[in-house]
Amino acid sequence: MISRTTIDNVFETARVEEVIGDFVQLKRSGSNLKGLSPFTDERSPSFMVSPVKQIWKDFSSGKGGNVVAFLMEHEHFNYPEAIKYLAKKYGIEIEETEQSDEQKEQANERESMYLVSEYANEFFQKRMHETDEGKAIGLSYFKERGFTSETIKKFDLGYSPDDWEVFTKTALEDGYKLEYLEKTGLTIVKEDKRFDRFKGRVMFPIHSMSGRVLGFGGRILSNTKKAAKYLNSPESDIYHKSKVLYGIYYAKQAIAKEDNCYLVEGYTDVIQFHQSGIENTVSSSGTALTPEQIRLINRLTKNITVLFDGDAAGTRASLRGIDLILEQGMNVKVCPFPEGEDPDSFARSNSEDELREFLEENSYDFITYKASLLMDEAKNDPVKKAGLIRDMVNSIAKIPDNIQREVYLQECSRIMDISEDVLYATLAQIENKGSGSSSQPKKKKMEVVKEESAAKTKVDPLYELERKIISLLVLYGREEGEFHDMLLKQNDQGEMIYESEIQESKVFEKIFLDLQEDEIEFTNEDFKKLFLLLIEKLNSEDEFGVEMIINDIEESQAIKLTDILMEEEQYELHDWDRHDIPVKTKDQGISQYVTQTILSLRRHLVGRKISELLEEMKEVDSEIDRTEKIQEIMSYTSLSTIISDRLGRVM
């Protein structure tokens, strides 16, 4: 593990504007820097970088955070990879924390396997480009496939000589151990014999998301019937076929930017598409698609378009794996190629514009495509049609989103010429299978789902007020202020009046004590954690800076914190007055703004309590309980009036 000292050193040294400047063209905008979003396709720049605060915010996608968060989002590094990238960029030596002998041995073994794989990658490339055999066989094959020199170099394509042990002998002479040559599967060892696994094959290195060589795919060029046409590295500590996608390292940025991933079958399909300009393309390397592979894509986009060969077998094979994609809540389209064509051949014989036009015009929503395909197969056979309807509904049952299910069931009802009620009943049977429930759930009404969806898009005043409290702590937490505490007292005539008492305190102390006094707890989990952390830091540190915490908090909290810090740079306007959410004006002092925010939060919580009591009254039967509820409501209503009066005085 990377030591804390190294991580701290990286954060102290790395400059967010310098790192992001390597990927995004930034221009000065006041004290900040501005550029086009690297995550969405936009024409007006909404991507902001603050050198002072050492954070960034992309207003078009909502993403934001520190320098490491950018690398994790843009380059799709994990946390250690991002730290190592920055350490290398700034020449910082990486210290490792103390590990057990077993951990060290395991780490050393994996690293040795990576080094051997990288060595093999370079060996195969050199043999193809620098030997007569390599040029005549390997390079000529790739050229015949239509690959340019730039493409061949980009994908590190190579050639393994048609010799039983030339690679193994050369690797051993160069100091690499037979143990790791065998563990990576590059060398096959049988008793006292050893020979090269990929003898006489053109080589396709398989990279991880971060670009490390994990294994290889090799295609034989001779007509030997005994040998498999394609051969992959065996499973190892660094290569798990089910967890990697061919081309993901080269495609990740394009997938995120285009917000779509084209999924093809083979290595050459991927390479030909990239060469044609369609870089958001990956392959499952000829294997059945796995949940782990789908999750890799899900990190980059929610949209997958599956491309398959123009034959019945290719179509059927591709359809089988799509239910797994639906299960993960992703949107799936399919694009079949003309009879006799595959993605590789079609891309070779068409220009980029023609290819893009074909993909756009022939990509169909998976559910509707599958329904049409199955009905065409069933013809007028009622028994076959019944089985295909169940197959169709099985796919729809995988979709977690209720709205999508509803829409697809209605569409399938139209395509299959069968009533919606039958489809809903079939769906209910599938969902209840194994649950022991014999009751059939009623069909969900679309209007209800729409109402629920619309409710989610409304402004949540409580969320915004809790956010304002965090904002106050971040921006003004250590500032001193004079706060007018309005005490409610009885005068000589028995009337309730306010008496103002001025208290001097820091903003964070005022907020903490007021919320404690009212026993107010945050409802949003991220805000609750941020509140406790900010109070702790503000109370214990002489000098408080947001950089003290942004590097150590969870991603969801970091995004919320970045939103707050970059509020001034956001141009989107909200009608906050309509929701009783205070906004600081230029002529308003910080003490006034703090008091106004806390009072607004109190009033909102009191209002919610009154609403709850009114609902409870509907269930009350006895007159005594009803009277008690009315008295409680009147008490809270009186409190709401007092708070509103105080708010009026503050404003």
Side-chain angles (χ1 to χ4, degrees):
M1 290 177 65
I2 302 171
S3 70
R4 185 73 232 181
T5 305
T6 299
I7 293 171
D8 291 343
N9 197 7
V10 163
F11 278 117
E12 286 170 13
T13 309
R15 301 293 304 169
V16 69
E17 66 274 20
E18 292 173 354
V19 175
I20 293 178
D22 291 341
F23 303 94
V24 181
Q25 188 176 4
L26 298 171
K27 292 183 179 178
R28 180 64 60 180
S29 176
S31 61
N32 299 310
L33 299 165
K34 185 190 288 187
L36 291 172
S37 168
F39 305 109
T40 60
D41 190 12
E42 64 178 12
R43 294 182 181 179
S44 300
S46 67
F47 183 85
M48 304 293 293
V49 177
S50 171
V52 175
K53 299 168 185 172
Q54 282 297 294
I55 56 171
W56 60 277
K57 178 69 184 175
D58 178 25
F59 292 109
S60 64
S61 67
K63 297 171 181 177
N66 59 15
V67 65
V68 168
F70 177 82
L71 290 172
M72 290 173 74
E73 283 287 351
H74 192 269
E75 293 300 287
H76 307 288
F77 289 152
N78 58 32
Y79 188 85
E81 287 169 345
I83 294 293
K84 286 177 181 178
Y85 174 92
L86 292 170
K88 185 177 180 181
K89 177 178 175 64
Y90 287 96
I92 298 167
E93 188 178 345
I94 296 176
E95 294 179 5
E96 302 283 344
T97 55
E98 193 61 37
Q99 295 175 302
S100 68
D101 291 339
E102 187 180 341
Q103 287 174 319
K104 285 178 184 175
E105 188 178 334
Q106 192 176 18
N108 290 338
E109 185 170 297
R110 284 173 58 84
E111 192 58 37
S112 296
M113 291 172 73
Y114 280 124
L115 292 172
V116 163
S117 298
E118 193 56 55
Y119 170 82
N121 187 28
E122 292 174 9
F123 174 89
F124 297 139
Q125 289 179 71
K126 284 181 180 178
R127 286 291 167 144
M128 185 172 77
H129 291 287
E130 298 176 8
T131 67
D132 292 338
E133 180 191 351
K135 291 175 187 175
I137 301 174
L139 193 58
S140 64
Y141 168 78
F142 289 127
K143 293 286 187 181
E144 284 168 14
R145 298 298 303 230
F147 299 151
T148 64
S149 298
E150 291 76 16
T151 298
I152 291 168
K153 186 177 180 182
K154 173 183 173 179
F155 284 90
D156 293 347
L157 303 179
Y159 174 71
S160 179
D162 194 8
D163 184 291
W164 283 110
E165 56 174 341
V166 65
F167 165 73
T168 303
K169 283 177 72 174
T170 308
L172 291 171
E173 287 168 6
D174 287 343
Y176 292 90
K177 293 181 179 180
L178 183 61
E179 175 190 358
Y180 300 118
L181 294 172
E182 184 182 11
K183 283 184 175 178
T184 52
L186 289 159
T187 300
I188 297 173
V189 179
K190 286 189 176 178
E191 297 175 356
D192 58 340
K193 294 180 181 179
R194 60 202 185 194
F195 49 91
D196 300 345
R197 178 179 295 273
F198 295 105
K199 169 186 176 293
R201 293 175 182 267
V202 287
M203 301 300 292
F204 300 84
I206 300 165
H207 297 85
S208 69
M209 182 84 86
S210 60
R212 303 201 81 170
V213 178
L214 304 173
F216 296 89
R219 187 194 192 282
I220 199 163
L221 301 181
S222 65
N223 293 321
T224 308
K225 291 184 179 179
K226 290 182 180 178
K229 184 178 177 181
Y230 275 97
L231 184 66
N232 271 23
S233 294
E235 293 281 309
S236 71
D237 281 351
I238 64 170
Y239 178 62
H240 302 281
K241 195 173 184 178
S242 64
K243 296 180 181 179
V244 67
L245 289 161
Y246 180 73
I248 191 73
Y249 171 62
Y250 303 104
K252 60 185 180 182
Q253 290 185 30
I255 292 170
K257 185 126 186 170
E258 298 287 336
D259 196 21
N260 183 39
C261 176
Y262 289 113
L263 184 66
V264 295
E265 187 178 346
Y267 302 128
T268 57
D269 295 326
V270 171
I271 298 169
Q272 202 67 252
F273 259 55
H274 276 252
Q275 184 168 287
S276 297
I278 316 294
E279 295 189 338
N280 52 324
T281 309
V282 298
S283 163
S284 59
S285 306
T287 63
L289 198 61
T290 66
E292 291 88 354
Q293 289 171 330
I294 297 166
R295 279 194 284 274
L296 274 180
I297 298 172
N298 206 358
R299 287 169 58 183
L300 306 169
T301 181
K302 286 285 182 187
N303 304 302
I304 296 182
T305 303
V306 181
L307 312 181
F308 44 79
D309 304 351
D311 60 77
T315 302
R316 272 290 178 195
S318 297
L319 291 179
R320 280 194 293 270
I322 293 177
D323 283 357
L324 289 173
I325 306 174
L326 294 172
E327 275 184 340
Q328 296 198 28
M330 301 181 75
N331 307 312
V332 190
K333 288 187 176 182
V334 293
C335 179
F337 281 85
E339 187 72 33
E341 294 271 24
D342 59 28
D344 178 7
S345 64
F346 192 86
R348 244 186 300 166
S349 56
N350 289 275
S351 67
E352 180 182 346
D353 288 342
E354 288 169 335
L355 179 56
R356 286 188 182 276
E357 185 180 352
F358 176 83
L359 293 172
E360 190 172 331
E361 292 179 357
N362 295 276
S363 292
Y364 308 104
D365 177 86
F366 165 66
I367 295 292
T368 51
Y369 177 80
K370 183 177 179 180
S372 301
L373 189 73
L374 294 181
M375 289 312 293
D376 189 52
E377 284 183 16
K379 304 290 184 197
N380 296 316
D381 185 337
V383 176
K384 196 171 185 181
K385 184 176 178 179
L388 294 177
I389 288 170
R390 177 165 284 276
D391 184 6
M392 194 66 243
V393 179
N394 258 314
S395 288
I396 295 175
K398 306 288 184 186
I399 300 169
D401 185 84
N402 288 327
I403 295 177
Q404 279 186 303
R405 281 195 197 185
E406 186 94 19
V407 172
Y408 282 135
L409 284 170
Q410 291 172 352
E411 184 65 10
C412 287
S413 169
R414 182 187 63 78
I415 295 169
M416 295 176 152
D417 191 25
I418 189 167
S419 75
E420 285 184 37
D421 289 338
V422 171
L423 295 179
Y424 278 105
T426 306
L427 178 63
Q429 287 172 3
I430 292 168
E431 289 181 325
N432 290 333
K433 190 177 179 182
S435 67
S437 172
S438 60
S439 62
Q440 181 178 311
K442 292 181 180 178
K443 170 183 169 182
K444 291 182 179 178
K445 297 295 180 184
M446 195 65 181
E447 291 76 16
V448 175
V449 181
K450 283 180 179 175
E451 282 175 17
E452 289 175 358
S453 177
K456 289 179 183 177
T457 62
K458 291 179 182 176
V459 171
D460 180 354
L462 185 56
Y463 175 93
E464 295 299 338
L465 286 165
E466 290 180 358
R467 184 179 181 278
K468 288 285 180 190
I469 296 292
I470 300 298
S471 176
L472 286 168
L473 291 172
V474 170
L475 301 175
Y476 311 108
R478 294 196 68 81
E479 286 193 22
E480 295 274 357
E482 288 188 350
F483 297 98
H484 290 256
D485 282 345
M486 307 294 288
L487 305 177
L488 195 62
K489 293 185 177 179
Q490 196 172 34
N491 64 12
D492 295 338
Q493 286 74 41
E495 298 171 331
M496 299 303 292
I497 60 167
Y498 285 118
E499 229 177 64
S500 179
E501 191 176 287
I502 297 175
Q503 299 276 358
E504 284 190 17
S505 69
K506 287 185 170 65
V507 167
F508 83 89
E509 294 170 338
K510 167 69 176 172
I511 291 172
F512 179 73
L513 291 172
D514 275 20
L515 297 193
Q516 286 286 98
E517 181 184 336
D518 290 341
E519 297 182 355
I520 295 173
E521 280 199 18
F522 285 82
T523 56
N524 182 280
E525 200 60 36
D526 283 330
F527 288 148
K528 183 189 290 186
K529 290 176 182 176
L530 280 172
F531 176 75
L532 295 172
L533 185 59
L534 286 165
I535 292 295
E536 179 194 340
K537 293 289 183 184
L538 287 162
N539 195 42
S540 60
E541 306 285 346
D542 290 334
E543 290 187 13
F544 171 76
V546 74
E547 64 278 359
M548 292 177 179
I549 64 169
I550 201 166
N551 299 333
D552 298 319
I553 56 181
E554 295 170 18
E555 182 185 356
S556 57
Q557 297 161 29
I559 289 173
K560 287 182 172 65
L561 201 53
T562 308
D563 284 343
I564 290 166
L565 292 166
M566 299 293 271
E567 260 182 341
E568 293 174 12
E569 288 80 9
Q570 190 170 6
Y571 302 113
E572 187 180 355
L573 298 174
H574 298 280
D575 186 11
W576 292 130
D577 288 342
R578 187 163 58 87
H579 301 288
D580 286 333
I581 298 166
V583 178
K584 190 177 186 304
T585 57
K586 289 183 179 178
D587 60 342
Q588 190 179 35
I590 188 59
S591 301
Q592 188 182 5
Y593 182 40
V594 170
T595 303
Q596 184 186 351
T597 303
I598 294 172
L599 286 172
S600 297
L601 178 59
R602 283 175 175 164
R603 183 167 67 176
H604 182 76
L605 291 172
V606 169
R608 283 183 62 164
K609 184 64 179 175
I610 292 170
S611 298
E612 288 171 10
L613 289 168
L614 287 169
E615 284 299 313
E616 289 173 13
M617 264 191 67
K618 294 176 183 178
E619 307 297 324
V620 172
D621 294 326
S622 76
E623 193 60 37
I624 295 173
D625 290 342
R626 187 177 177 81
T627 302
E628 286 180 358
K629 287 289 180 194
I630 291 171
Q631 287 176 344
E632 199 173 354
I633 290 169
M634 288 176 65
S635 175
Y636 275 108
T637 303
S638 175
L639 179 58
S640 180
T641 304
I642 291 169
I643 293 171
S644 296
D645 188 22
R646 286 189 61 187
L647 258 172
R649 289 168 182 252
V650 171
M651 293 162 68

